[in-house]
């Protein structure tokens, strides 16, 4: 039951990963909860992010798998790819997940309000349908949206939001940015046969990942036919008479393509939310400033997920949402530990990491010891695919404690999830060495590092 003074104990704005988790856990603690969502229940990850993207990654990988299959004795006559079949199957599964999330909220007696909600006061919320409600606690979980560079003709490009709905595959695509989304979609479109060019404003891909892995991804991507232009900032996009897009940029010739995809970071969704009316303080990049318990500058207003600009990853938003509900409604004050979060880029091949890069470790610890395995997986050897994996373990030289693990190669994210438990637990290289290998696997390299 809501506190008599208010319509709800908790009003959540945004039914994405963080908002849904917080809503259902708070409701399970007995709170009267409503969640407002202006688009679709599930949020970016489920509706137009991680989940449909991973399905496209799977779909794209068949291009190489079918080619490699021939070395394993299979004859595959002229394989054909139909984008619309994959696209529609993916979108159908997104609908299923949207239903599943809705059902979860309904089962937990969370009221879903499919309207835009804005704050009109510290406890007051206006809904776009015209209703006003009040809540004792408010959680902002509005996520982030793609950043679109400002330049003439920028409206001619698309973002990852639209990439899932394309009518046809572009024969030539320019992807702006060198981060997660750029490298993941570059791999996807390249495997589907589009000519892919990545342009990035600096000379680095995937800033924050270990340099050796980034170099390896660049080398493999070049071999696969992806073009890169570095130190290139958008000047503008023009539509030509034939309907193509001519892109001009600094330091490079113009390029003509059929599609431009922006993957230049994501901005917190804080504009027009009325946060100023409630006294919520924002940071320099428009993100909501929160403490370790996800509390904003206003005592009864909290924020979780991408809108806080801490770590823009779904599992982190989910943890923050859960911790918020435990703290405020479960009587268990819980701060999320943002240290040593494993992550992965679902590029072709994927890479994954946990802990410090070699550079970060050297800065922090001075003396570090680095172990590496640079090898061609058995499957690639037989297929004649000249693509090498690289695994790196960075350890504190004195104690042997593992400070970071970095991997690029098939299934690296799957292997990393297990390896990251060991790093988080503070294990040492000796602990890995004491573990017997599973042979023959790629992951055995982790316990055989020299
Ligand atoms: P990233 O932060 O990964 O990369 C942004 C890229 O865009 C960088 O190469 C950066 O260049 C460039 N850039 C940033 N701002 C500008 C600008 N104003 N003009 C031109 N270029 C710019 O962002 P993404 O959009 O790829 O992804 C957003 C976030 O979503 C990620 O940070 C990640 O947290 C999350 N995500 C996670 C995924 C996963 O877990 N697998 C998958 C997809 C997204 P430079 O580095 O040179 O400054």
């Amino acid at each position: 039951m809501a506190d008599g003074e208010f319509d709800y104990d908790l009003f959540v704005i945004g039914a994405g990963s963080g908002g849904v988790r917080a809503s259902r856990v708070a409701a399970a603690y007995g709170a009267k909860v409503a969640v407002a969502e202006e688009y679709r229940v599930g949020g970016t990850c489920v509706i137009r992010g991680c989940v449909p993207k991973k399905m496209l990654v799977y779909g794209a990988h068949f291009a190489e798998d079918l080619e490699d299959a021939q070395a394993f004795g299979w004859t595959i006559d002229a394989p054909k790819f139909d984008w619309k079949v994959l696209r529609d199957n993916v979108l159908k599964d997104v609908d299923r997940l949207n239903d599943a999330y809705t059902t979860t909220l309904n089962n937990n007696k969370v009221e879903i309000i499919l309207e835009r909600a804005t704050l009109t006061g510290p406890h007051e919320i206006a809904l776009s349908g015209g209703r006003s409600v009040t809540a004792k606690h408010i959680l902002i979980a509005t996520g982030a949206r793609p950043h679109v560079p400002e330049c003439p003709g920028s409206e001619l490009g698309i973002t990852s939001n639209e990439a899932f709905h394309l009518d046809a595959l572009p024969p030539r695509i320019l992807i702006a940015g060198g981060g997660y989304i750029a490298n993941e979609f570059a791999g996807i479109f390249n495997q589907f046969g589009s000519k892919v060019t990545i342009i990035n404003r600096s000379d680095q891909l995937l800033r924050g990942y270990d340099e050796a892995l980034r170099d390896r991804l660049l080398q493999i991507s070049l071999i696969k036919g992806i073009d890169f232009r570095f130190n290139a900032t958008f000047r503008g996009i023009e539509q030509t008479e034939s309907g193509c897009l001519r892109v001009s940029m600094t330091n490079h010739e113009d390029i003509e393509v059929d599609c431009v995809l922006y993957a230049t970071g994501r901005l917190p969704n804080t504009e027009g939310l009325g946060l100023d009316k409630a006294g919520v303080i924002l940071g320099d990049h428009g993100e909501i400033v929160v403490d370790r318990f996800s509390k904003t500058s206003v005592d009864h207003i909290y924020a979780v997920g991408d809108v806080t600009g801490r770590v823009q990853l779904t599992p982190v938003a989910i943890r923050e949402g859960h911790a918020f509900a435990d703290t405020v409604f479960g009587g268990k004050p819980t701060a999320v530990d943002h240290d040593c979060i494993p992550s992965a880029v679902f590029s072709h091949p994927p890479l994954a990491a946990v802990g410090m890069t070699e550079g970060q470790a050297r800065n922090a610890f001075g003396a570090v010891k680095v172990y590496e395995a640079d090898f061609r997986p058995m499957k690639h050897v037989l297929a004649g695919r000249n693509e090498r994996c690289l695994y790196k373990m960075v350890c504190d030289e004195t104690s042997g404690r593992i400070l970071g693990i970095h991997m690029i190669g098939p299934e690296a994210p799957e292997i990393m999830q297990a390896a990251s438990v060991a790093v988080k637990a503070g294990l040492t290289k000796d602990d890995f060495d004491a573990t017997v290998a599973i042979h023959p696997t790629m992951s055995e390299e982790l316990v055989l590092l020299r």
Side-chain angles (χ1 to χ4, degrees), residues 44 49-50 53 144-150 160 176-185 198-209 230-234 262-267 306 310-315 342-347 351:
T44 299
C50 332
K53 179 275 314 284
R145 64 183 185 286
H147 160 261
V148 173
E150 279 176 28
S160 52
Y180 284 82
I181 298 178
N183 283 285
E184 292 179 344
F185 274 101
I198 284 188
I199 73 164
N200 195 33
R201 64 176 177 183
S202 73
D203 60 355
Q204 287 184 33
L205 293 177
L206 290 166
R207 197 196 289 274
Y209 278 91
F230 292 110
N231 301 311
T233 304
F234 261 96
Y262 305 117
T264 49
R266 294 177 63 84
L267 307 172
D306 289 3
R310 286 178 283 187
V311 181
Q312 290 186 329
L313 295 175
T314 301
S343 63
V345 184
F346 295 95
S347 42
L351 57 87

Side-chain angles (χ1 to χ4, degrees), residues 209-348:
Y209 278 91
D210 192 89
E211 201 176 333
L213 269 78
R214 298 195 269 127
D215 279 354
R216 181 62 54 93
L217 178 64
L218 177 62
Q219 293 314 320
I220 295 175
S221 299
L222 284 167
I223 291 168
K224 288 185 192 291
I226 297 172
D227 281 344
F228 291 85
R229 293 180 174 196
F230 292 110
N231 301 311
T233 304
F234 261 96
R235 277 215 194 101
I237 310 176
E238 254 176 62
Q239 189 136 34
T240 66
E241 275 175 20
S242 61
C244 303
L245 302 176
R246 182 175 302 120
V247 184
S248 56
M249 65 201 84
T250 56
N251 298 321
H252 297 268
E253 301 272 286
D254 291 0
I255 182 172
E256 216 172 82
V257 292
D258 307 286
C259 181
V260 172
L261 170 67
Y262 305 117
T264 49
R266 294 177 63 84
L267 307 172
N269 281 327
T270 46
E271 279 163 18
L273 269 183
L275 293 168
D276 49 330
K277 299 199 175 70
V280 174
I281 292 177
L282 301 184
D284 292 344
H285 304 287
E287 77 282 10
I288 298 180
V289 178
V290 290
D291 69 8
R292 340 177 6 244
F293 297 97
S294 299
K295 187 162 80 175
T296 70
S297 51
V298 180
D299 260 358
H300 63 276
I301 303 182
Y302 287 69
V304 295
D306 289 3
V307 76
T308 65
R310 286 178 283 187
V311 181
Q312 290 186 329
L313 295 175
T314 301
V316 177
I318 291 171
R319 288 209 167 202
E320 290 168 357
H322 203 123
F324 153 78
D326 284 345
T327 301
V328 177
F329 297 100
K332 289 183 283 186
T334 308
V336 171
D337 176 4
H338 288 95
D339 188 38
C340 213
I341 294 171
S343 63
V345 184
F346 295 95
S347 42
H348 278 73

